[in-house]
Amino acid sequence: MTADLMAFLRARFAEELEKARFASSTVTQDPGRFGVAPEDAARHARFSVAAAEVHLALLEDTVIPHLGTEGAAGRTAEYQLRLLSAPYVEHADYPHD
């Protein structure tokens, strides 16, 4: 289950990063079309992309390396994996137990 959940979450975070980059590019190219000021569009674009990058980095750098290890580190990594995946529990591809 952990491997399935890890793969699922990797895919979701990669999708979120791609969506953030696309939306950021779209909005910053013509912010007036969306009724936002250029500086607000740029700030939101940076935030959206950074948030998506951080989720992916958190998963790859601090959770995945400790999955399956013994002791507190392994338990914490599995708990973090489940917390990170919780918003996606209703997703059609979520790997339920």
Side-chain angles (χ1 to χ4, degrees):
M1 170 64 178
T2 301
D4 292 340
L5 192 54
M6 179 183 65
F8 169 82
L9 204 51
R10 267 186 173 142
R12 296 300 71 77
F13 285 173
E15 283 176 4
E16 293 300 322
L17 180 55
E18 184 178 327
K19 286 179 187 178
R21 286 178 175 156
F22 176 78
S24 296
S25 174
T26 302
V27 173
T28 56
Q29 287 178 11
D30 190 7
R33 176 178 172 210
F34 299 97
V36 296
E39 60 275 1
D40 292 337
R43 185 174 30 257
H44 183 71
R46 287 189 305 272
F47 174 81
S48 297
V49 171
E53 288 173 341
V54 165
H55 282 128
L56 198 51
L58 177 67
L59 178 68
E60 295 291 342
D61 298 343
T62 66
V63 176
I64 290 174
H66 299 286
L67 287 172
T69 61
E70 296 292 323
R75 288 190 304 275
T76 299
E78 187 168 339
Y79 181 62
Q80 288 172 328
L81 182 70
R82 293 186 184 281
L83 285 174
L84 289 170
S85 65
Y88 301 96
V89 73
E90 298 297 325
H91 190 281
D93 296 331
Y94 188 89
H96 293 281
D97 287 326

